[in-house]
């Protein structure tokens, strides 16, 4: 009669691989969920960086216009809860307002007619 190994011993490698995959998934999810809001939003006009907002400083809703920053461009931004978005733009299609809030690194929103873009970086 052939003696069989217990189920766990037969599939030890499979359980170890599954456990490692779950651990990596938990670490990745935890890093994204509990990341401190240390990102900054860089505002570009005509391809040059003209202003930087540290998003961690904005928890309540604040609206800032390019005119307030010293530029004659009819564009405003809303900063809220560590995020930024275009509001009150003076362009025909207002597509840039449709981007909504951005706040994660590598996210970008662009207002082509006014040559203004916002990129979030760490």
């Amino acid at each position: 009669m052939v003696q069989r190994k217990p189920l766990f011993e037969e599939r030890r490698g499979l359980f170890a691989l599954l456990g490692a995959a779950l651990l990596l998934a938990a670490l990745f999810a935890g890093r994204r969920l509990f990341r401190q809001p240390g990102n900054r939003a860089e505002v570009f006009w005509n391809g040059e960086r003209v202003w930087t907002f540290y998003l961690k400083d904005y928890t309540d809703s604040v609206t800032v216009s390019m005119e307030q920053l010293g530029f004659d461009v009819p564009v405003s931004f809303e900063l809220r809860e560590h995020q930024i978005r275009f509001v009150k733009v003076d362009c025909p299609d207002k597509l840039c307002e449709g981007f909504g809030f951005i706040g994660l690194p590598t996210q970008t929103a662009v207002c082509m007619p006014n040559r203004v873009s916002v990129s979030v970086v760490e």
Side-chain angles (χ1 to χ4, degrees), residues 28-83:
F28 180 74
R31 182 173 178 244
R32 291 189 58 89
L33 287 175
F34 299 110
R35 179 182 303 177
Q36 293 296 320
N39 301 329
R40 63 186 190 276
E42 295 182 341
V43 178
F44 294 85
W45 180 54
N46 285 331
E48 292 185 40
R49 186 176 61 202
V50 296
W51 203 262
T52 299
F53 293 103
Y54 291 92
L55 296 177
K56 67 179 180 176
D57 297 338
Y58 297 92
T59 53
D60 297 328
S61 181
V62 175
T63 302
V64 179
S65 69
M66 288 289 286
E67 286 93 3
Q68 289 173 316
L69 300 176
F71 301 94
D72 189 26
V73 183
V75 171
S76 295
F77 306 100
E78 180 184 7
L79 294 114
R80 181 179 73 192
E81 298 175 8
H82 314 293
Q83 299 178 337

Side-chain angles (χ1 to χ4, degrees), residues 64-122:
V64 179
S65 69
M66 288 289 286
E67 286 93 3
Q68 289 173 316
L69 300 176
F71 301 94
D72 189 26
V73 183
V75 171
S76 295
F77 306 100
E78 180 184 7
L79 294 114
R80 181 179 73 192
E81 298 175 8
H82 314 293
Q83 299 178 337
I84 188 169
R85 72 174 177 155
F86 281 99
V87 293
K88 300 178 189 169
V89 294
D90 185 21
C91 57
D93 55 12
K94 300 188 185 302
L95 285 175
C96 52
E97 290 181 359
F99 282 106
F101 281 102
I102 60 173
L104 295 175
T106 72
Q107 289 184 321
T108 300
V110 179
C111 181
M112 292 295 285
N114 291 306
R115 299 179 312 274
V116 176
S117 68
V118 178
S119 295
V120 178
V121 296
E122 285 189 270

